[in-house]
Amino acid sequence: MASIYPSRNDYSSEGFDELVSELAQVGIRTCGEFRAMMTRLRRQLLKIDRDRLAPWEIRHMSESFGEAFVKDAVRRQYWFAFPALVRVAMDVRFGEQVDPALAE
């Protein structure tokens, strides 16, 4: 992910462990398949990541993540950490085929 996406999106302490089984559900089983999907969707995902937040979203996220983080994210136009970008990619690419409940 670090070679494909900006470092500003690399801020989560959440790992990718649970994503592995979710990716396998939709047929992404190798690093090459994963890299291909994330590279193919890069422009679209970065556009989604830059979308403006509604005022209510900013208030809600400030309560959850802290005002300083949200101000920085809004100013620098990013929101999703790497694991979230993977989930957005799966949603864009596969839609409802991914059932997070099955990954547990």
Side-chain angles (χ1 to χ4, degrees):
M1 288 290 292
S3 66
I4 303 170
Y5 289 89
S7 61
R8 68 179 180 230
N9 295 96
D10 188 12
Y11 64 85
S12 176
S13 60
E14 178 184 345
F16 287 82
D17 295 339
E18 66 184 47
L19 289 171
V20 173
S21 60
E22 292 176 37
L23 288 161
Q25 287 178 43
V26 293
I28 305 292
R29 292 185 174 82
T30 68
C31 289
E33 292 169 336
F34 174 75
R35 186 183 229 340
M37 177 182 73
M38 296 308 293
T39 301
R40 185 176 329 118
L41 296 174
R42 184 178 192 277
R43 288 180 195 229
Q44 187 174 2
L45 294 175
L46 290 176
K47 182 183 178 306
I48 292 168
D49 192 42
R50 284 190 308 267
D51 282 348
R52 295 184 72 140
L53 297 174
W56 71 267
E57 290 173 309
I58 292 172
R59 282 192 305 276
H60 174 74
M61 296 305 175
S62 292
E63 292 171 7
S64 299
F65 297 102
E67 191 172 322
F69 172 79
V70 174
K71 279 184 179 181
D72 181 64
V74 169
R75 182 180 62 77
R76 293 175 54 204
Q77 295 183 314
Y78 73 94
W79 187 249
F80 297 114
F82 285 165
L85 282 172
V86 174
R87 286 204 166 86
V88 173
M90 289 191 314
D91 189 44
V92 167
R93 175 70 176 85
F94 301 105
E96 299 298 318
Q97 291 181 32
V98 180
D99 182 2
L102 295 176
E104 297 176 359

